[in-house]
C-alpha cells in the first residue's frame, strides 16, 4: 500500500473518460445534457471534471484542476439503465440526496469495470 493509505489523502481508485448527464437534482427531474466528463473515483467520492483535455495522471489532484461536481457514494445506488437512453452501456447512479446521473461509454469492458468498481465502493460503505 502507498504511504498515504493510512493517512489523510484518499486513494485514487479509478479515473477515466465517460459520457455523463445529470437527470435529477434533489428528486426533481432535469433535462438531459450529455457531455464527456473526466471521472475520478477517490475515497468515497466520484468526482467529475469538466475538461477532458486535462487527462494526465496528475490532473485529478487537488489544486491542479477544479472539479465540476462530486458525488458522495455513501448510501448511493447504481443500476444498469439502458431503458433510460437510446445509447448503449448506460447506468444510473442515485445519491441519498436524490441526485441522479447517467454514465455511459461506447466500450463495453470499460463501462463494466466502472460499474463493478463503483458498486464495490457502495457495498464497502454499506458495511461500515
Ligand atoms: C435529448 C438529447 C439526448 C436524448 C434525449 C433527448 O434531446 O437528444 O441525447 O437522450 O432523449 O430528449 P435535446 O437535445 O433536445 O434535449 P439519449 O441520448 O440518452 O437517448 P430522452 O428525452 O428520450 O431521454
Amino acid at each position: 500500500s502507498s504511504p498515504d493509505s493510512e493517512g489523510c489523502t484518499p486513494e485514487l481508485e479509478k479515473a477515466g473518460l465517460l459520457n455523463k448527464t445529470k437527470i435529477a437534482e434533489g428528486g426533481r427531474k432535469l433535462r438531459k445534457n450529455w457531455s464527456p466528463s473526466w471521472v475520478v473515483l477517490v475515497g468515497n467520492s466520484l468526482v467529475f471534471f469538466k475538461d477532458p483535455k486535462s487527462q494526465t495522471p496528475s490532473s485529478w489532484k487537488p489544486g491542479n484542476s477544479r472539479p465540476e461536481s462530486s458525488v458522495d457514494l455513501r448510501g448511493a445506488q447504481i443500476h444498469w439503465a439502458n431503458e433510460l437512453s437510446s445509447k448503449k452501456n448506460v447506468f444510473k447512479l442515485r445519491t441519498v440526496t436524490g441526485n441522479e446521473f447517467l454514465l455511459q461509454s461506447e466500450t463495453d469492458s470499460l463501462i463494466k469495470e466502472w460499474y463493478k468498481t463503483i458498486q464495490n465502493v457502495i457495498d464497502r460503505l454499506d458495511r461500515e
Side-chain angles (χ1 to χ4, degrees):
S1 72
S2 72
D4 266 338
S5 62
E6 315 273 322
C8 58
T9 306
E11 277 185 283
L12 173 66
E13 302 216 30
K14 194 168 177 60
L17 194 63
L18 294 175
N19 293 314
K20 184 197 78 166
T21 182
K22 194 172 187 178
I23 58 166
E25 165 91 45
R28 279 188 48 197
K29 199 166 180 281
L30 296 174
R31 184 168 182 177
K32 274 182 185 167
N33 182 20
W34 285 102
S35 63
S37 182
W38 182 247
V39 183
V40 176
L41 181 58
V42 60
N44 304 343
S45 297
L46 203 59
V47 186
F48 301 121
F49 292 85
K50 193 173 260 175
D51 184 9
K53 291 187 285 286
S54 56
Q55 289 170 41
T56 66
S58 64
S59 66
W60 67 274
K61 286 178 183 168
N64 289 15
S65 119
R66 196 212 314 257
E68 185 185 26
S69 61
S70 89
V71 165
D72 183 359
L73 292 175
R74 191 179 294 275
Q77 297 179 325
I78 187 173
H79 296 288
W80 290 110
N82 287 311
E83 76 283 1
L84 294 183
S85 175
S86 61
K87 302 180 195 303
K88 68 168 191 173
N89 298 337
V90 174
F91 64 75
K92 181 168 90 171
L93 181 66
R94 186 185 194 282
T95 69
V96 281
T97 56
N99 293 342
E100 297 185 351
F101 299 86
L102 299 183
L103 293 167
Q104 189 267 346
S105 169
E106 290 301 307
T107 308
D108 299 14
S109 56
L110 200 147
I111 199 75
K112 281 179 191 157
E113 276 299 315
W114 272 103
Y115 187 93
K116 197 170 62 183
T117 308
I118 293 170
Q119 182 68 264
N120 285 343
V121 173
I122 292 172
D123 290 347
R124 166 170 60 75
L125 291 169
D126 280 348
R127 288 191 304 268
E128 277 181 11

